[in-house]
Amino acid sequence: MKGAWQAQQADAATTALRLNYKISLDAVLSAIDKLDRAVETDPIAARHFQRSELLVGAALSPYFAPTAQQRTEWLKRAEDDLRAGLGDDPARGIQWLRLSSVKLALEGPSQRSVEALLMSIDTAPMLLPLWPARLRLILDNWPALTREQREKVALYVARTWQLSSGHDWFADAIRMPLDELLIRYFVRNEAGAQDELTRLLTERRKRKP
């Protein structure tokens, strides 16, 4: 019970970071301290996952700028938490996705980031809310994917296009010309996809100042 109470004290900071609300560094450090105590008291997977989300949010928050050393420390601690949590509860697609993001942030495109991404897909393949982040990770990790991995993720991206009621998030993932080429390749066999992507990208370019 004490561990649950301590973890609950960090909920406000975790929620603020998740929703990209403004939050002070002092509030984040206080929340990390409370979760440190919660994990020490009750080191179950859920506590590790909760602390990993807070640490990743703190490392990547736009509202304060940790030093490079502090950012790396938080990301490495988040990785340790994710590995501990996934060791006890491996069927967690969102946590594998977070691990992939952490590995990308720490070392750039790599098979370690790709492997976690593929585990996320394997454990929760058609959980559509996870796919915008997955698509971004596929694009960022593209140089590190093997041919077989590229074929696998391409099939999944095409399938999510088929299942999605809207396709704005495909266009939102595009940051550079290669991203557009890859996404157009993924959905090359989907009826109307090329025209829809052209329309969505045109709308976004018109909105730019």
Side-chain angles (χ1 to χ4, degrees):
M1 291 296 293
K2 183 179 180 182
W5 179 82
Q6 290 167 326
Q8 191 176 26
Q9 305 309 301
D11 283 349
T14 303
T15 300
L17 290 169
R18 183 187 304 141
L19 299 178
N20 204 25
Y21 292 163
K22 191 171 184 178
I23 184 171
S24 70
L25 179 58
D26 286 344
V28 171
L29 293 174
S30 175
I32 292 172
D33 180 65
K34 290 179 173 65
L35 276 174
D36 286 345
R37 297 179 188 180
V39 171
E40 183 177 357
T41 302
D42 192 12
I44 59 174
R47 299 281 178 268
H48 285 290
F49 292 150
Q50 186 178 0
R51 185 168 64 180
S52 75
E53 181 180 4
L54 180 62
L55 289 166
V56 172
L60 303 180
S61 173
Y63 292 112
F64 47 84
T67 64
Q69 181 180 355
Q70 180 67 82
R71 179 177 181 271
T72 298
E73 178 188 336
W74 282 340
L75 289 171
K76 287 183 175 178
R77 287 186 63 195
E79 180 183 0
D80 290 342
D81 272 331
L82 287 163
R83 293 198 182 280
L86 288 165
D88 291 333
D89 190 2
R92 293 297 190 100
I94 191 170
Q95 306 303 337
W96 286 110
L97 183 65
R98 182 172 295 125
L99 180 58
S100 177
S101 298
V102 168
K103 294 307 294 181
L104 180 69
L106 283 171
E107 57 193 47
S110 70
Q111 269 296 306
R112 285 174 289 275
S113 179
V114 170
E115 287 165 2
L117 172 60
L118 294 178
M119 282 297 296
S120 174
I121 294 172
D122 288 343
T123 52
M126 289 296 112
L127 192 57
L128 291 179
L130 298 186
W131 270 98
R134 283 176 179 164
L135 180 58
R136 188 61 253 167
L137 282 167
I138 289 168
L139 297 172
D140 287 341
N141 273 304
W142 192 254
L145 271 74
T146 66
R147 180 176 179 179
E148 182 180 356
Q149 290 168 340
R150 289 178 177 186
E151 292 174 353
K152 178 177 180 176
V153 298
L155 289 173
Y156 272 110
V157 173
R159 183 61 176 151
T160 60
W161 178 279
Q162 296 166 6
L163 295 175
S164 297
S165 58
H167 300 119
D168 292 76
W169 59 274
F170 286 85
D172 291 339
I174 294 171
R175 298 176 183 171
M176 60 185 69
L178 179 59
D179 295 342
E180 181 178 351
L181 288 174
L182 289 173
I183 290 175
R184 287 187 181 277
Y185 172 75
F186 296 152
V187 298
R188 63 195 182 282
N189 295 322
E190 305 306 315
Q194 303 302 320
D195 288 342
E196 185 170 0
L197 281 170
T198 297
R199 177 182 61 80
L200 291 169
L201 291 171
T202 300
E203 289 174 355
R204 279 153 181 73
R205 287 167 184 144
K206 286 181 179 178
R207 290 201 295 262
K208 287 184 178 179

